[in-house]
Amino acid sequence: MAPPKSKAPTQATNTRIFFFSILLALQYGAQPLISKRCISREVIVTSSVLACEAAKVIFAVYFMAKEGSLGRTFKEWTLVGALTASGLPAAIYALQNSLLQISYKNLDSLTFSMLNQTKIIFTALFTYFMLRQKQSIQQIGALFLLIAAAVLLSVGEGSNKGSTSGNADQILFYGIVPVLIASLLSGLASSLCQWASQVKKHSSYLMTVEMSIVGSLCLLASTFKSPDGEAMRQHGFFHAWTPLTWIPVIFNALGGILVGLVTSYAGGVRKGFVIVSALLVTALLQFIFEGKPPSLYCLVALPLVVGSISIYQKYPYQIKKKES
């Protein structure tokens, strides 16, 4: 895959990246609290996921129509191009989610969360090999600072939860190995999305539509045998839904649009910075709305996240004369 030509980002692009990143951090950070308050336990999970994917498609088509690219985009659309740009990442994300479900059942939440942070490193590696997107020494240090912050936040989240007992082989082969493979797949899929948007100039909104449709088809196929499918056949698709249930569904759909935009404009590595920063947003919102003070781990992680973002932005990789 040929690397894209290096261009210095304009002030307008930097402003756009900052705006989308702030919105994504707020959405990702607020999502757990909104879902907890608005979705009852009786709601069938698959129905909310399918509704979210449908909402993503509607929003993406609306935004394409608003910017005037809808007609041109669908005129130039081809099945081969869609499968190349979005089909493979969608299939990878589906496999990744399955592996995470297996791992989560066989690991305590702390170990799972810490190992899951390795996807940031895998994203950086894949963007280097696929896009020749190099990192400066300072940026590599910033990545490790970010992972340290993510580990601290994971410790804070998992310290109050019990661990799962089990033999060593089960923990290794059904817990550690699946989550590491899932992290590797996450880095690969994120890099593929970045490659499609930056090299192949595939629209971020179009990728959202394509990946949502592919993901929904895979999910619908699974309902023929899954407990959620049986529940929907017995009780109906919107069982236990209320008007409030739509709030987190729509909020999550908009978050999916923002993920595509951040990946398209800023890349998968910076998306990792946004996601970890969002954990701090969750802690802040819990303090504001639930009176739950942030843990010591969260307070220690805060300067690490701020410092890592500052270093990563301040010391980009400088292209040498021979490379240019």
Side-chain angles (χ1 to χ4, degrees):
M1 298 175 184
K5 294 179 181 179
S6 297
K7 290 183 179 179
T10 63
Q11 182 62 37
T13 301
N14 284 330
T15 302
R16 194 172 296 177
I17 290 171
F18 179 76
F19 178 68
F20 290 149
S21 298
I22 291 294
L23 287 180
L24 179 58
L26 290 173
Q27 181 275 325
Y28 200 89
Q31 190 69 42
L33 298 177
I34 294 175
S35 298
K36 182 180 177 182
R37 290 170 179 261
C38 298
I39 300 181
S40 70
R41 293 187 178 183
E42 289 76 25
V43 170
I44 302 168
V45 174
T46 300
S47 71
S48 63
V49 174
L50 286 171
C52 178
E53 296 301 325
K56 282 183 193 177
V57 172
I58 293 170
F59 283 128
V61 170
Y62 168 76
F63 288 131
M64 281 192 287
K66 189 175 180 182
E67 69 178 14
S69 63
L70 182 61
R72 175 177 52 82
T73 298
F74 282 97
K75 273 185 181 179
E76 297 172 356
W77 183 88
T78 63
L79 179 61
V80 174
L83 292 175
T84 303
S86 305
L88 184 56
I92 291 172
Y93 277 129
L95 177 57
Q96 173 212 350
N97 289 332
S98 299
L99 289 169
L100 288 177
Q101 292 300 319
I102 295 171
S103 177
Y104 194 72
K105 294 176 182 178
N106 293 281
L107 286 178
D108 62 90
S109 58
L110 174 56
T111 305
F112 173 85
S113 298
M114 288 192 295
L115 290 174
N116 197 29
Q117 305 310 323
T118 57
K119 62 188 175 185
I120 301 170
I121 294 295
F122 286 122
T123 302
L125 287 174
F126 278 113
T127 51
Y128 169 73
F129 288 117
M130 294 172 60
L131 297 164
R132 291 293 182 264
Q133 183 178 318
K134 298 181 180 180
Q135 313 287 331
S136 66
I137 297 297
Q138 293 91 337
Q139 286 181 321
I140 293 173
L143 286 174
F144 281 102
L145 274 180
L146 184 71
I147 290 176
V151 168
L152 281 172
L153 290 166
S154 301
V155 170
E157 179 189 357
S159 58
N160 296 325
K161 298 179 181 178
S163 57
T164 304
S165 60
N167 60 61
D169 287 342
Q170 182 177 351
I171 290 174
L172 175 62
F173 293 109
Y174 293 96
I176 295 174
V177 172
V179 73
L180 288 176
I181 295 175
S183 295
L184 185 147
L185 291 174
S186 175
L188 175 59
S190 182
S191 301
L192 284 171
C193 291
Q194 186 176 342
W195 169 78
S197 62
Q198 295 182 356
V199 179
K200 290 296 182 181
K201 305 302 180 185
H202 210 64
S203 164
S204 169
Y205 296 128
L206 181 59
M207 285 188 67
T208 298
V209 172
E210 293 168 345
M211 291 181 68
S212 292
I213 291 174
V214 172
S216 297
L217 290 175
C218 293
L219 200 55
L220 282 170
S222 72
T223 58
F224 288 102
K225 293 290 184 180
S226 69
D228 275 9
E230 184 63 31
M232 283 193 288
R233 285 188 288 273
Q234 287 184 1
H235 305 293
F237 186 88
F238 293 107
H239 173 67
W241 279 57
T242 68
L244 289 178
T245 309
W246 284 103
I247 296 175
V249 168
I250 292 174
F251 209 57
N252 200 19
L254 289 171
I257 300 287
L258 288 170
V259 166
L261 291 171
V262 170
T263 303
S264 176
Y265 284 102
V269 176
R270 289 194 185 181
K271 185 187 73 175
F273 281 85
V274 175
I275 299 303
V276 175
S277 302
L279 300 177
L280 297 173
V281 175
T282 301
L284 176 62
L285 292 176
Q286 282 181 336
F287 176 66
I288 294 173
F289 292 104
E290 298 181 356
K292 181 181 178 183
S295 66
L296 177 62
Y297 300 103
C298 184
L299 295 176
V300 175
L302 176 59
L304 291 178
V305 172
V306 174
S308 65
I309 294 173
S310 176
I311 292 170
Y312 196 89
Q313 298 279 6
K314 191 175 180 181
Y315 299 100
Y317 180 81
Q318 300 294 328
I319 301 174
K320 298 176 183 178
K321 290 183 179 179
K322 288 184 179 179
E323 295 180 33
S324 59

